Amino acid sequence: MTPEYDIAILLATRGRTESLGRCIHSLINLADSPDRLQLMFAFDTDDTIGAAYFQAHLQPWMDQRELNYTAMQFERQGYHRLNVYNNKLAEHTDARWLMIWNDDAVMETQSWDTEIMRHEGEFKLLAVHTHRDHPYSIFPILPCKWYKLLGYISPHSVQDGWLSQQAYMLDIYERIPVWVLHDRADITGNNNDTTFKERAALEGRPNDPNDFHSIQQIELRHRDSVTLATYMQEQGLSLEFFSKIWSGEQDPWEKLARNDVNKQMVQFDNAHTHFAK
């Protein structure tokens, strides 16, 4: 069946008011086809601040513009289970592309949705310009088929890293001419609230099996990559880069390192991002 929408925007939010409104206004006001967007919100059941703002300000604004949106409530999962929100939101989407968004993100590019749709029919992870051009896709944009193949976007809360590492290994990572302001406290000084301060560190402890760089998580990431590669092979897409990794002829992180123009990955030991055969 043909998807009803072009792009589903997955947004788990907590305790944010004007910041939440600003991020949604930026998406809608700069989109060429806002009626082709599916806005998916996740709220915690105890988030009275965010829910009150949504109902009093954002919901009437969206209704007036006849936008397509769904708001879901969750028992609080916390930052360390951020993927749980987005995996569940994705389950209820009907769109060609999924885009993971933040309530501290501000779209800056006119026609951003058109730029994404230029890649319709391609099996790629798209990345915007943000966060000093971090080599990961900080606000990942992926085909819905990716989610359907695996049954989740990511089993780990470091979703940007999870998807980006898979995309680099499969050589399907592409930066598009779309710019986003990540208005986060440690970047801009804004939104230095409880939501920001309570975020968890899930990288840098490779001996913890739940850490992003643990051998357990690396092996799961690579098993999922094989599933994606099998689909790509069925579609006649090139697996030359991926195959050379397995044969030991290719450094899997060559293009990631090339894209790390501001050396934002040096904090991690490459030994913990090896390719597990």
Side-chain angles (χ1 to χ4, degrees), residues 185-255:
D186 58 342
I187 300 173
T188 66
N190 299 325
N191 293 307
N192 191 19
D193 54 13
T194 302
T195 300
F196 173 76
K197 293 174 181 177
E198 289 182 351
R199 73 194 193 287
L202 298 165
E203 297 177 84
R205 299 189 303 274
N207 293 326
D208 180 347
N210 294 316
D211 188 86
F212 180 79
H213 295 289
S214 70
I215 189 64
Q216 292 88 344
Q217 299 299 327
I218 291 171
E219 290 179 345
L220 176 55
R221 212 151 46 241
H222 297 162
R223 286 198 297 270
D224 283 354
S225 296
V226 171
T227 299
L228 299 175
T230 300
Y231 169 76
M232 290 174 59
Q233 185 175 43
E234 293 170 352
Q235 300 303 306
L237 301 174
S238 174
L239 288 176
E240 181 180 3
F241 190 91
F242 189 66
S243 298
K244 286 184 176 179
I245 293 172
W246 282 98
S247 64
E249 302 173 66
Q250 177 63 58
D251 174 6
W253 313 125
E254 176 188 340
K255 294 187 178 182

Side-chain angles (χ1 to χ4, degrees), residues 5-53:
Y5 304 104
D6 288 340
I7 305 164
I9 298 156
L10 313 182
L11 176 55
T13 179
R14 178 175 176 83
R16 297 267 167 86
T17 54
E18 286 82 4
S19 174
L20 174 61
R22 185 184 178 202
C23 88
I24 296 301
H25 289 178
S26 72
L27 287 169
I28 300 304
N29 292 337
L30 293 175
D32 285 341
S33 303
D35 60 313
R36 301 294 301 153
L37 304 179
Q38 184 180 23
L39 300 167
M40 304 293 296
F41 298 89
F43 291 91
D44 291 332
T45 54
D46 65 346
D47 180 15
T48 55
I49 294 173
Y53 177 84

Side-chain angles (χ1 to χ4, degrees), residues 8 10 86 98-102 138-142 153 159 163:
L10 313 182
N86 287 321
L98 306 176
M99 180 168 75
I100 300 176
W101 199 242
N102 281 26
I138 298 298
F139 301 110
I141 304 164
L142 63 151
I153 293 173
Q159 300 161 99
L163 294 168

Side-chain angles (χ1 to χ4, degrees), residues 77-263:
Q77 301 296 314
Y79 188 92
H80 67 289
R81 299 191 71 204
L82 186 58
N83 58 306
V84 173
Y85 298 98
N86 287 321
N87 288 337
K88 192 66 177 178
L89 290 177
E91 183 182 335
H92 294 273
T93 61
D94 185 19
R96 291 174 169 82
W97 293 86
L98 306 176
M99 180 168 75
I100 300 176
W101 199 242
N102 281 26
D103 54 14
D104 60 0
V106 181
M107 179 58 68
E108 297 184 316
T109 298
Q110 181 70 53
S111 305
W112 62 270
D113 54 332
T114 298
E115 289 296 338
I116 292 173
M117 294 309 296
R118 292 188 198 282
H119 298 274
E120 176 56 18
E122 299 178 7
F123 193 73
K124 292 181 176 180
L125 180 71
L126 305 180
V128 301
H129 293 270
T130 191
H131 208 311
R132 299 176 59 238
D133 272 352
H134 195 287
Y136 284 168
S137 178
I138 298 298
F139 301 110
I141 304 164
L142 63 151
C144 190
K145 184 65 177 180
W146 190 311
Y147 162 78
K148 290 180 178 178
L149 285 167
L150 299 176
Y152 50 66
I153 293 173
S154 170
H156 195 278
S157 68
V158 183
Q159 300 161 99
D160 51 7
W162 193 277
L163 294 168
S164 296
Q165 287 204 7
Q166 290 175 321
Y168 276 115
M169 287 188 289
L170 294 165
D171 199 21
I172 54 173
Y173 175 102
E174 183 168 338
R175 184 92 67 184
I176 61 176
V178 171
W179 279 259
V180 174
L181 170 65
H182 196 179
D183 200 16
R184 202 173 72 182
D186 58 342
I187 300 173
T188 66
N190 299 325
N191 293 307
N192 191 19
D193 54 13
T194 302
T195 300
F196 173 76
K197 293 174 181 177
E198 289 182 351
R199 73 194 193 287
L202 298 165
E203 297 177 84
R205 299 189 303 274
N207 293 326
D208 180 347
N210 294 316
D211 188 86
F212 180 79
H213 295 289
S214 70
I215 189 64
Q216 292 88 344
Q217 299 299 327
I218 291 171
E219 290 179 345
L220 176 55
R221 212 151 46 241
H222 297 162
R223 286 198 297 270
D224 283 354
S225 296
V226 171
T227 299
L228 299 175
T230 300
Y231 169 76
M232 290 174 59
Q233 185 175 43
E234 293 170 352
Q235 300 303 306
L237 301 174
S238 174
L239 288 176
E240 181 180 3
F241 190 91
F242 189 66
S243 298
K244 286 184 176 179
I245 293 172
W246 282 98
S247 64
E249 302 173 66
Q250 177 63 58
D251 174 6
W253 313 125
E254 176 188 340
K255 294 187 178 182
L256 186 155
R258 190 185 306 161
N259 287 340
D260 190 13
V261 293
N262 289 303
K263 307 303 179 188

